[in-house]
Amino acid sequence: MIIQLNYDNEDAVIAFAAKELGEYLSRMLPCTIQQNGSGSEADLRISLSTHSEEKHDQFRIHMQRRNGYILGSNSRSVLLGVYHYLHTLGCRFPAPSKKYEIIPAITEDCLYISYAKSASFDHRGACIEGANSLENVLDFVDWLPKLGYNSFFLQFSVPYTFLARWYNHENNPYTWENTDGANGAAPADAKPSKKPYTLEDAVSHTAVIESAMAQRGLLLHKVGHGWTGKALGFSSVAWQAEDRPLTAAQREITAQLHGVRDLFCHVPLNTNLCYSNPRAVDTFVKAVTDYAGEHPEVSCLHIWLADDCNNVCECDECRKSTPSDQYIHLLNRIDEALTAKHIQTKLVFLLYLELLWPPVKERLHNPDRFILMFAPISRTFEASYDLSQKLPPIPPYRRNHISLPSGLTENLSFLQGWQKTFSGDSFVYDYHLGRAHYGDLGYVHISRIASEDIKKLREMGLNGMISCQELRAGMPNWLPNYVMGHTLFDEELSFDQLVKEYYQAAYGKDYQTVIDYLSKLSELGSCDYMNGKGPRENPSMAERFQEILKTADEFLTVIDSHRIPLSQGAADEGETDAPACNACAAFQYDSPFWRLLSYHRQYVLLLGKALYYMANGENRNASQNWNAFREYICRMEPYFQEALDVYRVTEITGNHAGLKRLSQDA
Ligand SMILES: [Zn+2]
């Protein structure tokens, strides 16, 4: 059949949506695609257009014989509509990589369906963390609208640190210029550069990423931390220490702690200013105004203070106010400066660390400029937000003696306190895939928590979520991001239904066996234990880790039943090229998900052992097994780099779970 796609070529996002629709349809059924054709021979003409330029995403899909349309409330919604339609036709986008896509064959009759959708929330996004190649970020950006997301947050003025970690090969001593697995070569992007990654490299990579976002109409969030360092004259694109002593002028505007004005632990990004000093405020305001003026492409500019706590100024003037009152005063000044320059950029302000305590006196003068962002970084991920209980009172604020709330109700008290002072737009910035996910070895638990959390956002008075996360979070699969994206777009979606859909696509006929297996690993693991909460020696956790080892061990027969025997030549080649302990990399499986599951099983066996010994109080064994785990994942990174962030899992298992300290003690 001939399918003609008609659209306004001037709109780059809709043109991209049409290209995507044409490409996927031509892979699903025998057809010829005409882009903006005028011939009369087409069997189906589909028009792609918008009826307005609303902020809220919604679309209507109407397909019948001869004619059809995808009509969006804005250009991005047309693209969201295209991907939603493809999903309805059976396409699955289960990972941020085209090699995992599932594109079914369909007949013409399947095309003819009609429905409309409106997004449940306006803020649906993710924020870059971890270590990433340019290709990793581009794959992620490409994936976002396929799941219903509409935003991406590139932290700092340039996301230098997240790219540099990959290109400078942090936490992985090996290089792999010529590593070819038997089952296809390691991806071309899996080649960390030997020359140091520069800020200029990051600037040019950022331009490529932002252009990919613009092509998809994704909302760009920028900066966050870094303004305090910037006001002091530092570049602030990483949590880097500075050795140079501050000048007198710099000292004057820096927070005073124990009678001294200096960088906090040498890190500008973690240093607060003396916000009662008008020169500190002026410098801060100018830094933001200049940046916003130079970057009209930014939709949401995040204005955050230092990324550490108990380090606010103790001078006599600052003591007359609270950090949050000083923050609101600063935000009002920024708003006035932007308004004077006719800059419309939305500003995101942050409830985090001492700023969790609501302001006492100050209020935002122009609430429409602002978006509230609640960041419960210290929360537990063992359970979802509990809205059924009466909230405890907010503890009194004690300057430089705060402790962070881990309880879910305590966290909600702070949010509610702020909501009494501000009723504008808002979202949660949450951390399911920030650290906690490494404690969930099956990823079913953390996905369920994300689903339950999202379904409570409305009641919490929040308009969406940005997930602060590792982008390479696919061990054993990418269910968490899949659930988040789809549920943020449609809060009515059943979690169990999404799991079934995902596993059927990934694992085929044995999907229920895999659900049972990974659910069991999830039940036995602990996000809190991995996050360093509770004692390290813990007999009940030791028992659970032992059970994890047994479960993973026994699953080998199922995985092996999905292994495809190689021809002798290929087998020889595979076994010589791939590293030791390599069944997952050296053999073929009937889908890339089974191959990944085989790798994941080895990962669970090695990490599980290290955690078991730690929980059992056997520090030397824990340390040795953590080293064996790291050796293995470092060697295997070229084969599975899109699924596991070796930099980050090393940091979390080492510093947060505590395995590094044990190895130093042992
Ligand atoms: Zn001060």
Side-chain angles (χ1 to χ4, degrees), residues 425-580:
D425 200 4
S426 61
F427 62 87
V428 69
Y429 186 71
D430 219 333
Y431 300 86
H432 307 84
L433 292 177
R435 298 171 192 159
H437 62 115
Y438 292 120
D440 176 8
L441 294 166
Y443 266 13
V444 178
H445 167 81
I446 201 72
S447 306
R448 183 188 301 277
I449 297 295
S451 167
E452 290 176 6
D453 287 347
I454 290 167
K455 290 173 182 184
K456 290 171 188 162
L457 290 178
R458 190 171 299 281
E459 201 181 331
M460 286 160 70
L462 295 168
N463 188 12
M465 179 171 92
I466 302 259
S467 163
C468 176
Q469 68 164 89
E470 278 71 78
L471 303 187
R472 297 186 288 145
M475 280 292 259
N477 54 44
W478 291 262
L479 179 69
N481 270 126
Y482 193 83
V483 166
M484 278 180 200
H486 283 290
T487 314
L488 280 166
F489 189 82
D490 182 355
E491 62 187 322
E492 300 295 325
L493 288 179
S494 138
F495 173 70
D496 291 333
Q497 207 50 45
L498 276 176
V499 172
K500 188 176 170 191
E501 168 185 307
Y502 190 94
Y503 276 65
Q504 275 181 328
Y507 304 106
K509 64 178 175 45
D510 273 347
Y511 77 93
Q512 190 57 51
T513 313
V514 187
I515 293 180
D516 296 343
Y517 165 60
L518 293 177
S519 300
K520 188 165 181 197
L521 293 185
S522 276
E523 273 165 37
L524 293 165
S526 164
C527 296
D528 275 1
Y529 189 78
M530 182 60 80
N531 246 336
K533 293 182 199 288
R536 298 297 81 191
E537 193 173 334
N538 183 330
S540 115
M541 280 314 304
E543 251 174 62
R544 285 161 65 174
F545 289 126
Q546 208 163 25
E547 191 59 28
I548 283 176
L549 294 174
K550 186 165 162 274
T551 306
D553 195 41
E554 288 168 0
F555 199 66
L556 179 63
T557 49
V558 182
I559 289 180
D560 275 353
S561 72
H562 288 269
R563 215 165 90 177
I564 297 171
L566 295 179
S567 65
Q568 195 50 49
D572 288 348
E573 196 186 323
E575 278 161 5
T576 47
D577 274 10

Side-chain angles (χ1 to χ4, degrees), residues 252-256 261 273-277 312-319 326 399:
E252 199 189 304
I253 61 169
T254 305
Q256 176 185 314
R261 295 183 189 271
L273 303 182
C274 174
Y275 302 109
S276 67
N277 182 330
V312 299
C313 188
E314 295 168 346
C315 82
D316 291 341
E317 270 311 296
C318 284
R319 279 180 184 282
Q326 290 186 315
R399 185 171 300 263

